[in-house]
Amino acid sequence: MATKIRLQRHGKKGKPFYYIVVADARAPRDGRFIERVGSYNPNTNPATIDINFEKTLEWVNNGAQPTDTCRAILSYKGVLYKKHLQGGVKKGALTEEQAETKFAEWLDQKDSKITGKKSNLNAAKDEARKLALIAEAKKKEDKAAAIAAKNAPVAEEVEEEATEAPAEEAAADTETEAESAE
């Protein structure tokens, strides 16, 4: 029986959540499976991958073929690298201790890379929040200035009308004087 390691979709529309399962190649995507070996949530950043490392490595060593996406996930978690190192031990190119130290170094590098990405994402989120607060404060100040400008000219116009009225009366008086002089 040809077995595949593949994703089984769950979750609601637009919010997928996947189980990583070992299934017969002829079974439907969300149908029968032999064993569930992990889960994958692409909705988070970075994506959350929970996998039973030993069971997955056992299935890969027994010949289960991962699909393209599962191959990327298994590579990301180090299952395929561990299989590669075990192949080197079987051939005699490496000792078991060398393989373990190489894998431990790789895991440390991978963890530091992941924590770096998470910290960068958190820093970017904090920076975006600060910029949004600054933009909101500026918009609030502009709005307050616009309201003050809107309210202030009304009082000035009343004063101007009051000062313009006597000026118009004086102009009208001079016009009447000029007409009477003619």
Side-chain angles (χ1 to χ4, degrees):
M1 166 172 53
T3 55
K4 290 228 178 237
I5 300 175
R6 63 183 178 201
L7 299 177
Q8 189 176 53
R9 192 181 197 282
H10 291 277
K12 64 182 187 176
K13 183 170 63 172
K15 298 284 186 183
F17 180 84
Y18 299 97
Y19 288 138
I20 301 169
V21 296
V22 178
D24 184 12
R26 298 167 291 185
R29 179 191 74 177
D30 297 333
R32 275 187 29 198
F33 60 91
I34 299 168
E35 185 175 8
R36 183 178 152 219
V37 292
S39 62
Y40 167 60
N41 184 2
N43 297 320
T44 60
N45 192 3
T48 306
I49 301 170
D50 180 34
I51 197 164
N52 185 339
F53 192 87
E54 301 302 324
K55 280 288 189 186
T56 308
L57 184 62
E58 179 184 327
W59 276 105
V60 169
N61 284 334
N62 286 338
Q65 294 296 315
T67 59
D68 293 338
T69 307
C70 280
R71 181 179 305 281
I73 291 170
L74 297 181
S75 176
Y76 180 80
K77 290 306 255 183
V79 174
L80 297 181
Y81 185 58
K82 182 79 168 186
K83 180 185 178 205
H84 171 72
L85 291 174
Q86 285 179 348
V89 170
K90 284 181 188 174
K91 291 179 183 175
L94 297 171
T95 63
E96 187 68 36
E97 294 81 27
Q98 289 174 332
E100 288 300 321
T101 56
K102 279 188 170 189
F103 187 71
E105 289 172 10
W106 182 85
L107 272 180
D108 290 339
Q109 288 178 343
K110 191 71 167 178
D111 287 339
S112 66
K113 200 185 260 187
I114 291 170
T115 55
K117 182 176 181 181
K118 284 182 181 179
S119 65
N120 287 342
L121 287 171
N122 287 337
K125 186 187 281 187
D126 291 341
E127 185 67 26
R129 186 176 294 131
K130 287 178 185 176
L131 290 174
L133 285 174
I134 291 169
E136 184 178 342
K138 184 180 183 320
K139 192 171 186 179
K140 184 177 178 182
E141 290 171 6
D142 292 345
K143 199 172 195 179
I147 290 173
K150 181 180 176 185
N151 291 338
V154 172
E156 290 176 7
E157 287 178 12
V158 171
E159 292 173 10
E160 288 176 7
E161 289 176 4
T163 56
E164 287 178 7
E168 289 175 1
E169 289 175 8
D173 290 339
T174 55
E175 286 179 12
T176 53
E177 290 176 10
E179 288 177 5
S180 62
E182 291 179 4

